[in-house]
Amino acid sequence: MTVSGQPVGATTARAHLFNDGSVAQYRRILASGVDRVATRVAGVDRPFTGISPDRLAGEVDAVDLDTPLGEPTAALDELEELYLRDAVWFHHPRYLAHLNCPVVIPALLGEAILSAVNSSVDTWDQSAGATLIERRLIDWTAGRIGLGPAADGVFTSGGTQSNLQALLIAREEAITSAIARAGTGPARAGAAGPDRSPATLGPTVGPATVGTARAELLPRLRILASAAGHFSVQKSATLLGLAPDAVVTVPTDATRRMDPAALAREVERCQRQGLVVMAVVATAGTTDFGSIDPLPAIADVCATTGVRLHVDAAYGCGLLVSPTRRHLLDGIERADSVTVDYHKSFFQPVSSSALLVRDGTTLRHATYHADYLNPARAVAERIPNQVDKSLQTTRRFDALKLWLTLRIMGADALGELFDEVVDRAAEAWRMLDADPRFQVVTRSQLSTVVFRWQPTGETDELVDGLDGPDAAGAELVDAANRYARQALAASGAGMVAGTVVDGRQYLKFTLLNPETTGSDIAYVLDLVAAHARRYVREHRPAALTCPVG
């Protein structure tokens, strides 16, 4: 059977396409979806239902994806059961776990628009205004950082991708400079800027080809990063083909910040051993401790030794718009590259991130030309193709979310929200520091708080054997903290994160919701303590006989 010369199935399928003939359906269906989310958010009384992975997996696996439901209401009803019912709600004030923020409404408006238009911000002929909006936001962010007039950058999927691209640039800049200085061949076409290589290849290279020189240099490249830095640095080193020991850990001080003196010693040691430090990675907001490395002192070390500096500010970038705390990022303007995650401290939906570089020409290390997409002649024709700067090809117009946020709310409003959560973290730290039930680690410069439940003198039954060096007692307390986190999540009444500090199990608040109050924090702490005490009561005798693993 055909309708207007087309099979009936084709006609039905075409009815789902978004175009000028389906705008009424578009309005109706999207309004229905928005209403579902709004109703759910209005009724949420806890951040999580506590459902187990096994139970939810069974429900999802039972869906027959080869048999469509046929209409939106049925599909939304099903989605209520498979997703919305058990979603983790970051907007809830007792979600205190990971670096997930509640989102601002102007950004949600941007998300709806960019998804419908579906621009791909890789070439001008696919994105036009989107390209220029992204470039304007890159310039704005680079200006807030203070990178100078030659700066550039590109939006990315997140901090891991930004760090990867920054270290790709660092690797290529180190190799290019070292090969040029060793006299084995010219630097890659388009290279610009001073030679920042900390060492030459030396006599082992001789007249070898550039390819051979690269192969000989790769095992000798090193990245120096804080012991509290992000795991994506190590992942990036692996993806970039560096040696297994390429990432050298620099000690931190008592506040979990990189020690500049130790950094200087490591750079000197590497150079003495004929290794090439391709980059130092400083962190402006470590994931666990919210610590900001001493950027001015680190920049001094890098300037003195000629080493490239990358600052991972994925978390701390919110300080760029803070009315009161911008000074905590002093020194970031001296970086060669900076990672920012707007979807952490700018209250944007995932994904919304960027890599900024001081010297825009270094982005050439991600440039590859394809005749069907971004031919080399487009550069001479001044056609702005963002794919020339990006590790990605097809890429969402995520910049629109931040654009509408700035145009509707303004940067100062975002900064005020971030200041609120930093203030709340300081309040949480004071509460924990004064509470004998908990041991709290160093005070964060941002909005994390790392702490550990510990037995107190409330009952001799709990304290005996747990307050000394006894290994079984310490492991029991570790297990109690792990259990408290799991039990809290299973109840759905609150969510906290977990981490390991100096070999011991700790818990962590990550505060990114301005709606979270001191009462919310106190409520969660009482629940954590109750779960931990119950675990110790139930497991103490066996644990002190046989250590808990």
Side-chain angles (χ1 to χ4, degrees):
M1 178 180 176
T2 62
V3 177
S4 300
Q6 294 291 331
V8 171
T11 302
T12 303
R14 288 186 181 184
H16 294 288
L17 291 173
F18 176 44
N19 53 38
D20 59 344
S22 60
V23 291
Q25 181 181 209
Y26 165 73
R27 288 191 176 106
R28 183 176 65 255
I29 291 177
L30 263 66
S32 177
V34 168
D35 185 64
R36 295 274 184 145
V37 174
T39 300
R40 178 64 65 169
V41 168
V44 164
D45 63 353
R46 56 188 55 206
F48 185 44
T49 63
I51 194 168
S52 70
D54 288 343
R55 178 186 160 193
L56 190 55
E59 295 183 34
V60 174
D61 290 345
V63 173
D64 180 4
L65 290 176
D66 292 316
T67 305
L69 296 172
E71 52 90 26
T73 300
L76 288 172
D77 288 344
E78 181 182 79
L79 193 66
E80 286 268 1
E81 300 300 310
L82 300 181
Y83 177 54
L84 294 177
R85 181 193 67 196
D86 301 302
V88 178
W89 296 102
F90 303 139
H91 76 278
H92 195 279
R94 291 198 299 275
Y95 178 86
L96 309 171
H98 300 287
L99 276 167
N100 305 110
C101 60
V103 295
V104 292
I105 292 173
L108 294 179
L109 173 61
E111 188 75 60
I113 293 172
L114 73 91
S115 297
V117 180
N118 200 31
S119 298
S120 180
V121 193
D122 49 336
T123 59
W124 168 260
D125 61 1
Q126 299 179 74
S127 57
T131 292
L132 300 181
I133 285 173
E134 177 174 305
R135 288 189 168 207
R136 181 69 185 88
L137 285 170
I138 288 294
D139 290 344
W140 176 82
T141 306
R144 286 269 173 169
I145 295 171
L147 290 179
D152 201 352
V154 68
F155 270 63
T156 70
S157 66
T160 294
Q161 183 186 334
S162 292
N163 287 342
L164 173 61
Q165 185 166 354
L167 293 173
L168 167 67
I169 291 170
R171 184 193 72 180
E172 292 305 298
E173 288 290 290
I175 290 174
T176 299
S177 296
I179 289 175
R181 291 181 62 176
T184 62
R188 180 174 173 177
D195 178 5
R196 306 203 44 165
S197 174
T200 65
L201 286 172
T204 59
V205 173
T209 64
V210 170
T212 301
R214 172 183 285 269
E216 291 182 359
L217 182 60
L218 273 176
R220 297 167 51 201
L221 293 177
R222 294 294 181 269
I223 302 167
L224 305 188
S226 161
H230 197 261
F231 71 88
S232 62
V233 175
Q234 182 64 61
K235 179 185 285 189
S236 296
T238 300
L239 293 173
L240 292 171
L242 305 185
D245 58 348
V247 179
V248 178
T249 299
V250 179
T252 59
D253 60 19
T255 60
R256 311 287 169 165
R257 304 166 76 214
M258 185 190 290
D259 181 349
L263 172 65
R265 289 192 297 270
E266 284 296 337
V267 173
E268 190 276 332
R269 179 189 65 79
C270 288
Q271 294 180 340
R272 189 175 64 250
Q273 295 178 1
L275 302 172
V276 177
V277 181
M278 69 182 226
V280 167
V281 179
T283 308
T286 58
T287 305
D288 272 349
F289 304 106
S291 52
I292 299 172
D293 289 334
L295 301 179
I298 292 171
D300 287 344
V301 173
C302 291
T304 300
T305 58
V307 175
R308 189 174 182 85
L309 173 60
H310 173 63
V311 176
D312 179 357
Y315 176 13
C317 63
L319 296 173
L320 293 173
V321 292
S322 167
T324 63
R325 293 179 170 90
R326 173 59 180 83
H327 64 280
L328 294 177
L329 290 181
D330 285 352
I332 196 171
E333 70 280 357
R334 299 171 64 186
D336 292 288
S337 55
V338 177
T339 286
V340 297
D341 270 9
Y342 308 109
H343 61 226
K344 287 186 172 66
S345 46
F346 277 68
F347 305 95
Q348 300 294 291
V350 175
S351 58
S352 184
S353 308
L355 170 68
L356 292 304
V357 296
R358 168 179 301 283
D359 178 2
T361 67
T362 60
L363 291 171
R364 72 187 184 277
H365 295 302
T367 303
Y368 289 85
H369 293 288
D371 289 337
Y372 65 86
L373 187 69
N374 62 328
R377 68 174 184 275
V379 177
E381 295 170 0
R382 299 177 59 83
I383 297 174
N385 291 328
Q386 292 293 84
V387 71
D388 294 349
K389 308 173 183 180
S390 178
L391 297 184
Q392 297 169 266
T393 302
T394 302
R395 190 162 54 84
R396 302 176 83 238
F397 180 28
D398 286 316
L400 180 60
K401 295 175 285 191
L402 180 60
W403 179 270
L404 285 177
T405 299
L406 294 176
R407 300 310 297 143
I408 295 172
M409 290 177 58
D412 288 348
L414 287 174
E416 290 169 8
L417 291 177
F418 193 54
D419 271 355
E420 284 192 59
V421 298
V422 177
D423 288 340
R424 192 70 66 248
E427 179 184 355
W429 188 90
R430 290 191 294 270
M431 292 169 61
L432 283 157
D433 189 49
D435 192 329
R437 300 174 299 175
F438 299 98
Q439 174 191 358
V440 63
V441 187
T442 181
R443 183 169 176 172
S444 170
Q445 292 170 280
L446 295 176
S447 62
T448 59
V449 187
V450 178
F451 63 97
R452 170 179 168 90
W453 175 84
Q454 60 186 2
T456 66
E458 295 177 44
T459 65
D460 291 338
E461 171 196 4
L462 287 180
V463 175
D464 187 29
L466 298 182
D467 57 350
D470 183 275
E475 290 175 5
L476 177 60
V477 175
D478 281 348
N481 278 276
R482 284 193 294 269
Y483 172 80
R485 180 194 175 202
Q486 295 163 356
L488 179 67
S491 75
M495 296 191 76
V496 301
T499 191
V500 174
V501 180
D502 300 330
R504 291 287 140 211
Q505 181 66 45
Y506 279 72
L507 303 175
K508 183 176 70 170
F509 289 154
T510 306
L511 295 153
L512 280 178
N513 190 346
E515 296 291 325
T516 298
T517 66
S519 296
D520 291 314
I521 294 167
Y523 178 79
V524 170
L525 288 176
D526 286 343
L527 291 177
V528 166
H531 288 309
R533 286 175 59 82
R534 180 168 62 252
Y535 184 89
V536 167
R537 284 199 182 96
E538 294 174 356
H539 294 82
R540 182 178 181 278
L544 292 180
T545 302
C546 179
V548 176

